[in-house]
Amino acid sequence: MSNLIQGIEKITTSTMADVVEKRLREYFKKNAFRPGDPIPKEMELAEALQVSRNVVREALSRLKMLGMIESKKKRGMILSEPDIFGGFERVLDPLILEQQTLKDLFELRLVLELGLADLIFLRKTDKDIQDLEKIVSKSTNINKTSFKVKNEIAFHGKLYEMTGNHTIMRFQTLLMPIFEYVVAEEEKQGAAYSISRITHIDLLEILKNGSAGQFKEAMRAHLSPHFERLI
């Protein structure tokens, strides 16, 4: 009997609020609801689903927390466009995340940066190049590690900005604490922050006179110190 209990996975049941939440999601999709569209009132939903208003209220509260619905004065509840990074912003703290999760997120950022080239070359402007030149000029003959890290963040942050993609830019901002945390951990472990053989000056020169393909290769070389430390 003891072996049987350990070997069989327990049956889990959804609460009524879980079921109602799922039905509401399906209802919104089936009826092609768009942000701004009004949704039925609590009483109407309770009658249609044949559940209590308390259950409907709990399910709606969950959807509100996700940013899927909101209450508007004189309009009642409407469907809204959720903030896809809202949850990330609340929990993306190196102090409360496991080491493996931090490593995974840092790897995600590295991979993301390798894919920026096409958008950057599609949308870069003379003003962008001038901004990068200012960042690069400040790094000359500066050996302090903290400054190098700050300069690295400024340069790469500008590259994200040059994509013109607001979702990418916001994601980069969210991952910033992860980058800073990883660099700090590397220093603690005696792995000094190293500069790649492909510098910001080299990347800037390619942005001025090279191609997207060349920039991708150079970016991979620039990030190589980080890739080499991955296991």
Side-chain angles (χ1 to χ4, degrees):
M1 186 62 183
S2 177
N3 291 335
L4 180 63
I5 292 174
Q6 294 177 7
I8 296 181
E9 186 176 348
K10 293 181 180 180
I11 297 174
T12 59
T13 57
S14 299
T15 65
M16 191 63 71
D18 292 331
V19 176
V20 171
E21 180 186 348
K22 181 179 179 182
R23 294 286 174 82
L24 289 176
R25 290 173 181 270
E26 293 171 347
Y27 172 71
F28 296 149
K29 291 178 182 179
K30 182 178 179 181
N31 291 275
F33 273 65
R34 303 295 300 169
D37 290 344
I39 66 175
K41 298 178 180 179
E42 281 185 10
M43 181 62 74
E44 296 171 336
L45 291 172
E47 291 179 0
L49 293 164
Q50 296 185 348
V51 297
S52 70
R53 288 187 66 178
N54 286 337
V55 171
V56 171
R57 189 173 294 119
E58 181 178 346
L60 290 173
S61 178
R62 294 180 183 183
L63 295 178
K64 284 182 180 179
M65 289 181 63
L66 294 173
M68 292 185 62
I69 62 174
E70 61 180 317
S71 297
K72 288 287 187 180
K73 191 174 182 180
K74 297 183 180 181
R75 292 193 62 192
M77 291 182 295
I78 64 171
L79 197 70
S80 60
E81 182 178 3
D83 181 354
I84 59 176
F85 289 126
F88 272 116
E89 288 177 335
R90 290 192 288 270
V91 301
L92 207 57
D93 185 340
L95 296 177
I96 61 175
L97 296 177
E98 294 287 343
Q99 193 73 24
Q100 184 59 49
T101 302
L102 292 170
K103 181 173 178 289
D104 289 346
L105 288 170
F106 187 67
E107 290 176 1
L108 176 60
R109 181 178 177 183
L110 292 178
V111 172
L112 181 62
E113 292 202 8
L114 292 179
L116 298 179
D118 290 318
L119 285 179
I120 289 175
F121 271 78
L122 180 66
R123 296 168 179 166
K124 64 186 176 75
T125 65
D126 292 339
K127 174 64 166 56
D128 291 327
I129 299 300
Q130 292 171 8
D131 290 342
L132 286 175
E133 287 176 335
K134 291 179 182 178
I135 295 172
V136 168
S137 66
K138 292 179 181 179
S139 65
T140 307
N141 299 322
I142 299 295
N143 295 316
K144 192 175 180 181
T145 298
S146 61
F147 183 87
K148 289 179 180 178
V149 173
K150 185 177 180 180
N151 185 265
E152 185 83 2
I153 290 173
F155 187 90
H156 287 256
K158 181 61 185 181
L159 294 181
Y160 279 89
E161 181 186 325
M162 288 169 66
T163 67
N165 185 301
H166 296 288
T167 298
I168 289 178
M169 285 188 278
R170 189 173 177 194
F171 194 55
Q172 183 261 349
T173 301
L174 286 173
L175 293 180
M176 190 65 68
I178 306 301
F179 177 82
E180 295 172 338
Y181 174 82
V182 169
V183 171
E185 285 299 301
E186 289 175 350
E187 289 182 344
K188 286 181 184 178
Q189 296 168 13
Y193 181 78
S194 59
I195 300 297
S196 167
R197 60 185 178 83
I198 298 296
T199 67
H200 290 167
I201 296 176
D202 298 321
L203 292 173
L204 179 57
E205 184 59 31
I206 295 174
L207 282 170
K208 290 179 178 179
N209 304 306
S211 65
Q214 291 173 324
F215 188 79
K216 287 180 183 178
E217 293 180 7
M219 181 62 79
R220 176 63 178 82
H222 178 68
L223 297 173
S224 60
H226 292 301
F227 278 104
E228 289 167 3
R229 283 193 284 269
L230 299 180
I231 299 175

